[in-house]
Every structure is written in C-alpha cells, then in structure tokens.
Amino acid sequence: MVAAFFGLWEALTALGALDSFITSSPSRMAVKLAELFQTGDLLYHMGVTLAETVISFLLATAMGVAAAIALWWCESARKILEPHLVILNSLPKIALGPVIIIWVGAGTSAIIVMALLISLIITIINSLQAFLSVEEGKLRLFATMKASKTQTLFKLILPSAIPDLMAVLKVNVGLSWVGTIMGEYLVSKAGLGYLIIYGGTIFDLDIVMTATVVLCVLAALMYYAVVLTEKAIGKKFKFNS
Amino acid sequence: MEELITFDKVCLTYHTKESETPVLADMSFSVGRGELMGLVGPSGCGKTTVLSLISGIIRPTSGKVLTGGMAPEKCDISGYMLQKDELLPWRTNMANILLGAELKKRDKAAARQKALELLEKYDLKGVEKHYPDQLSGGMRQRVALIRTLVLAPQIILLDEPFSALDFQTRLQVVNDVYTMLKTEKMTAVFVTHDINEAISMCDRVAVLSSKPCHIKEIVDISVFKGIPPAERRISGEFVRLYDKILTSMQSRTEQTWNTQKNTPATSNGSAGKNLQ
C-alpha cells in the first residue's frame, strides 16, 4: 500500500503529471534525506522533536492519571470539577498559544506546555471514566471484605482500568505529536515542526515533505512501542486486546 | 442452642433532603447457630439491606442487630457470597481465594493452607494455579465460596448467589453450596426471590413484604432437615411448602401488617423446635 503510493507519486512526477516543485517526489526526498543526514541536521531535529514529544507524553500520562485518581478519591471535587473539565476540553488549546509564550517564555518549555495542555484534559476525563466504570458487583465484594479506599484503589480500580488506560496511552501518543508540532510551529529554533515551517517559508517542498515523512515514521514507531507495552502488560493482567 | 443472629425491632430509614423513606419496619427474628435461614420477597424489597445490617456495613436507625451477641461492626464474623462470583480475572484462583486474607491483613500462609484443604475437599484440586476464565460457572461459584470460607466466618450471607447461573448449573451449584455449608457447619442467611431455591436449601424461610420491608411470616421447613436439595425437590411436601410460601407472598400487605406483630413469637417457636 505504502509502496504503491510512493511508486505512483514518483511515476506521476517523473512523467510531469505532477509538478515536483509543488509536490516534491520520493527520489528528491531521498536525496534531501541523505543531505540532511550528512549535515547532522536530520538527527538533531529528530532528537529535539522526539525528546519534546516523549517528555510531554510521559508528563501528560502521569499527571493525567494522578489527577484522575485524585478526582476518583474525592467525590465532591469530582462533582465540582467535572463539568469544567469537559468545557476546557472543548476549547481549542492552540488559542492559548500567545498566553503560554508570555507565561513560560518562547522556548522548549512552551512547546511542552502546549503538548501537555492538548493531551492532559482528555487523559483526566478518560482515566476517570475508566475508574468509575468498575463493576458494581466487584466494588460490593471489596465493601463486604471491608477493604480500605487505598486497597480498593490499588487492588481493584487500577488493575481493572488497565485496558482503558492503555487506550488512553494510544490516544496520547497521537496527541503528544500534535501538541509538539503545534508548539514548534508557534515557537522554536529546532525540531521537525521547525523544519517544516522553515521549508514552507523558503518554498522548499523537499524539506517539508521529507520532514513530514520522518515524522510519520517516528509517530508509528512510538505507537508500536506503546502497543508492545500494552501486550506485555495485557499478558500479566489477563486482558486480551 | 445459641442464637447467632438477633434482630430486635430493627427499623431503618433513609433520609434525603426532601423526605424520609422507611426501608425496614420493626423487624424481629433470630437465627440459631448452624441454621440456614432463607429470606424471600419481591425484588427491591430490602432483602439485601438485611444482609448489610448483619455484616455491619450499615447500621439500623433504631432497634438492635446482634451477631454472636455483639454489634456486627465490632466483630468480623460474617462473610458474603454474592450474585456473581466476582473473581478478579488478573488473579490466579489462589490469589483470588486469598484476596480477603490480603485485605484484612491476616496470616497468608495459614489461609493458603486452609485454601488448599478446601479446594481438595470440594473437588477443585489443582485449579489454584489457573485463572478464573478457565473454570466453568459452577466451579467459579465454588471457588468464590471457598474465598469466603477461608476467612473462617461464623455466618455466611448469600445474596442471590445462583441467579446469574443457567438452570442446569444452578441445580448443581445449589446442591454443592448446600453440602459445603452443612459440612462446614455454617450459619447462613440466604436471600433469594426464588421460592424453589429457598425450600431446597433452608431450614426456615422468612417471607418479606415490599417497602417498608417487614416479615409477613416465617415458614418452618425443618421436615427437610438434613435432606439435600435434589431430594427435597422430588418430595410431595415440597409442593405444599411452595404453595404456603407463595400464598404468603401474595397475601395483601395490610392484612399481614396486622399479623406481623405476632410473627416474632412464631419465629422463636419454630426456631426452638428446629434446634433440638
């Protein structure tokens, strides 16, 4: 499928049906890739973006799950905050771009905050949903055994929520990429998002397309890493997903 | 014979901002040690609430509930068997059985020893390393009962433990559970809406009315004492008792509300007869 797509792309540009100045072409991208690799630019920009994405992914997941646990624990906080979270979630976070830049400065931290904002709220909402959907009967079992709240959390709520939390992780991988690239569009001196914007500005579509393809590959790899983790944990916790 | 569970004029009322809802009204009965007491009544009448009172999860608004002569929340002597087995899929059967010991921070080695004995005794030897999804419905319920028995309770509270099983499995599991309860000399309170099950298992059956829940009548089933469920079902007496309980369930609430005041006396009488 992917090979056919690139083959067709290459053929159409070679025949002149597509203007390779506007659409670039796989062969030109390969040349650009080698060039960028040799100058060390490629690895540098990949490294920057990957680091930003992984950091915001880990932060969003950890903070989101922690916040969800806190809301599960305290019912009154949940009742007060849940509607606000839903409203916040529907806000396009990119609108907060200028505010973020002014508050945390135009640097890497702004990019990470941007990515965090995009995935944090949805992580909280989805994890909380997972915690609250634990079967009534199992909660009753724990109540009849007079389990403490901490015991219920660690021995029932968290293990039961693992399949849902895994789904949250998968969504977060995607969202962290969105957030990071969006952040890089706003402020950055390095990274694949920077490369794309830079290529666009100087009308070098080879750079834009090359960086985009590299981005796709990286996102796919990170997604697979999460899938592998899920399989390993799934085996331990007897969930076949 | 010692009274293990005593309800003395127990009332329970739920309070909300707008109103008071009486759930239990003036309920008095007692269950002797080793006795199997059934509670039948329409769905949602408060049968489960009676169990929660016995286990000490909730406390009565007025009146007294005693288990083993003490307030239930002060003595941890009752264990539950719920509608579904509620075995946790990520734990092995042994880890599931030891859940209670783990939560109550009891000696795990002793509990494990006891679990192995019970598993062997009730035809489940070797399943301890497996996961619950490898067991049949009947085996799962037996594992769930062993999970309760491992905690060495004096009272077992059965909350419609068979209603999630298909008909054939149910007959088998009713027999198994009866055998296990009698072998372990357990005192049990069995909540069900199925009259058949109540007569098959119990020594006495209390017929409950819907809200506020009170005892309409306590039917003595001591003629079946020591007879397993499968044999009870084919006896002629079974139909007579079925009819008696059904009539009592269907009788109008107003009538029984008046006679209800006398019920505790009859209940004590039949308990006495039962316990000889």
Side-chain angles (χ1 to χ4, degrees):
Chain A
M1 175 64 202
V2 176
F5 176 74
F6 279 99
L8 188 67
W9 188 359
E10 183 65 36
L12 286 174
T13 44
L15 291 170
L18 286 175
D19 186 347
S20 59
F21 179 69
I22 301 295
T23 62
S24 187
S25 77
S27 57
R28 291 176 62 153
M29 281 157 57
V31 173
K32 185 56 87 179
L33 195 67
E35 188 186 302
L36 285 171
F37 185 75
Q38 257 162 11
T39 58
D41 280 349
L42 182 70
L43 286 181
Y44 170 64
H45 291 295
M46 268 171 68
V48 169
T49 303
L50 196 61
E52 287 164 352
T53 310
V54 170
I55 290 172
S56 54
F57 168 75
L58 294 178
L59 270 179
T61 309
M63 289 167 68
V65 172
I69 289 175
L71 290 179
W72 171 81
W73 194 282
C74 180
E75 201 183 335
S76 49
R78 177 166 82 237
K79 282 194 176 138
I80 297 167
L81 290 176
E82 218 176 2
H84 299 287
L85 279 177
V86 174
I87 295 169
L88 262 185
N89 189 43
S90 55
L91 172 83
K93 282 81 183 174
I94 188 85
L96 295 174
V99 180
I100 295 170
I101 293 169
I102 292 166
W103 284 0
V104 300
T108 313
S109 46
I111 297 170
I112 291 175
V113 170
M114 187 78 224
L116 250 183
L117 273 181
I118 285 183
S119 42
L120 184 61
I121 311 266
I122 194 73
T123 307
I124 298 177
I125 293 178
N126 286 344
S127 317
L128 183 60
Q129 191 54 45
F131 296 159
L132 294 178
S133 61
V134 170
E135 281 171 68
E136 200 58 46
K138 297 215 162 39
L139 287 171
R140 184 158 163 77
L141 172 75
F142 272 65
T144 63
M145 290 185 163
K146 313 221 162 69
S148 70
K149 207 153 185 176
T150 320
Q151 286 176 326
T152 310
L153 176 66
F154 285 105
K155 295 192 193 289
L156 177 64
I157 303 291
L158 288 179
S160 327
I162 278 177
D164 290 332
L165 289 182
M166 286 296 145
V168 168
L169 285 194
K170 280 188 193 162
V171 173
N172 271 1
V173 171
L175 288 179
S176 302
W177 283 104
V178 172
T180 308
I181 299 301
M182 223 143 79
E184 285 184 353
Y185 282 2
L186 284 175
V187 284
S188 69
K189 294 174 200 73
L192 291 170
Y194 163 79
L195 218 50
I196 291 171
I197 289 284
Y198 169 75
T201 321
I202 61 166
F203 238 86
D204 185 343
L205 265 294
D206 294 347
I207 293 186
V208 175
M209 291 301 184
T210 308
T212 310
V213 170
V214 171
L215 202 55
C216 285
V217 173
L218 283 181
L221 287 178
M222 196 161 152
Y223 183 82
Y224 274 113
V226 171
V227 170
L228 286 181
T229 320
E230 182 185 17
K231 276 206 176 128
I233 295 180
K235 232 180 194 168
K236 186 164 184 293
F237 283 90
K238 301 294 283 177
F239 294 115
N240 320 307
S241 47
Chain B
M1 184 68 143
E2 152 196 19
E3 272 184 15
L4 198 54
I5 306 171
T6 313
F7 267 56
D8 185 18
K9 298 195 185 75
V10 172
C11 294
L12 183 74
T13 311
Y14 283 147
H15 296 270
T16 59
K17 271 177 207 152
E18 296 81 25
S19 64
E20 291 185 352
T21 320
V23 184
L24 297 189
D26 198 23
M27 190 179 269
S28 299
F29 69 91
S30 61
V31 184
R33 189 178 286 275
E35 197 182 7
L36 235 159
M37 170 85 154
L39 302 177
V40 296
S43 309
C45 78
K47 301 186 291 274
T48 301
T49 313
V50 176
L51 297 189
S52 300
L53 283 164
I54 298 173
S55 69
I57 295 177
I58 53 176
R59 292 178 200 187
T61 313
S62 69
K64 241 194 296 183
V65 178
L66 295 175
T67 51
M70 286 163 78
E73 64 272 14
K74 290 200 183 102
C75 61
D76 193 10
I77 61 165
S78 55
Y80 263 93
M81 185 168 180
L82 301 170
Q83 186 167 13
K84 290 197 205 149
D85 53 71
E86 306 298 359
L87 296 170
L88 304 175
W90 59 86
R91 284 172 170 251
T92 61
N93 293 318
M94 179 54 90
N96 265 297
I97 290 171
L98 297 180
L99 178 68
E102 203 176 305
L103 294 176
K104 290 171 191 255
K105 302 201 169 64
R106 302 232 186 118
D107 181 0
K108 267 181 111 175
R112 176 181 295 272
Q113 191 53 42
K114 181 150 193 214
L116 287 171
E117 282 164 24
L118 287 166
L119 283 171
E120 178 158 10
K121 198 160 158 191
Y122 298 110
D123 269 345
L124 288 161
K125 203 182 173 188
V127 307
E128 63 269 16
K129 290 185 199 74
H130 298 162
Y131 286 88
D133 59 1
Q134 292 161 293
L135 301 180
S136 69
M139 287 164 100
R140 290 174 68 109
Q141 275 297 19
R142 262 143 64 207
V143 170
L145 183 52
I146 291 176
R147 175 181 63 196
T148 311
L149 290 175
V150 157
L151 294 168
Q154 295 183 41
I155 302 165
I156 297 232
L157 307 169
L158 302 115
D159 192 356
E160 307 210 11
F162 313 118
S163 53
L165 300 170
D166 64 79
F167 183 68
Q168 234 169 352
T169 317
R170 192 186 307 187
L171 290 183
Q172 184 57 45
V173 177
V174 166
N175 246 344
D176 291 345
V177 169
Y178 176 84
T179 314
M180 287 168 85
L181 292 175
K182 285 296 171 190
T183 316
E184 305 298 322
K185 297 191 176 61
M186 282 294 155
T187 307
V189 179
F190 172 41
V191 154
T192 180
H193 53 250
D194 187 328
I195 304 176
N196 280 311
E197 275 174 14
I199 306 172
S200 313
M201 296 213 14
C202 301
D203 301 320
R204 273 193 301 150
V205 173
V207 181
L208 304 181
S209 74
S210 56
K211 283 174 178 170
C213 182
H214 59 272
I215 296 176
K216 286 177 159 182
E217 189 184 356
I218 294 187
V219 179
D220 185 25
I221 312 201
S222 55
V223 285
F224 281 146
K225 201 172 166 108
I227 300 174
E231 283 171 48
R232 292 186 184 194
R233 284 178 198 276
I234 50 173
S235 119
E237 186 69 6
F238 194 90
V239 182
R240 192 189 67 77
L241 286 165
Y242 186 97
D243 196 48
K244 188 171 178 192
I245 294 173
L246 187 65
T247 314
S248 177
M249 274 177 88
Q250 286 171 339
S251 67
R252 295 188 52 207
T253 320
E254 292 82 10
Q255 267 176 306
T256 50
W257 183 241
N258 298 327
T259 56
Q260 192 258 333
K261 296 260 170 353
N262 307 324
T263 323
T266 13
S267 89
N268 287 340
S270 62
K273 202 168 68 187
N274 227 356
L275 307 172
Q276 287 159 10

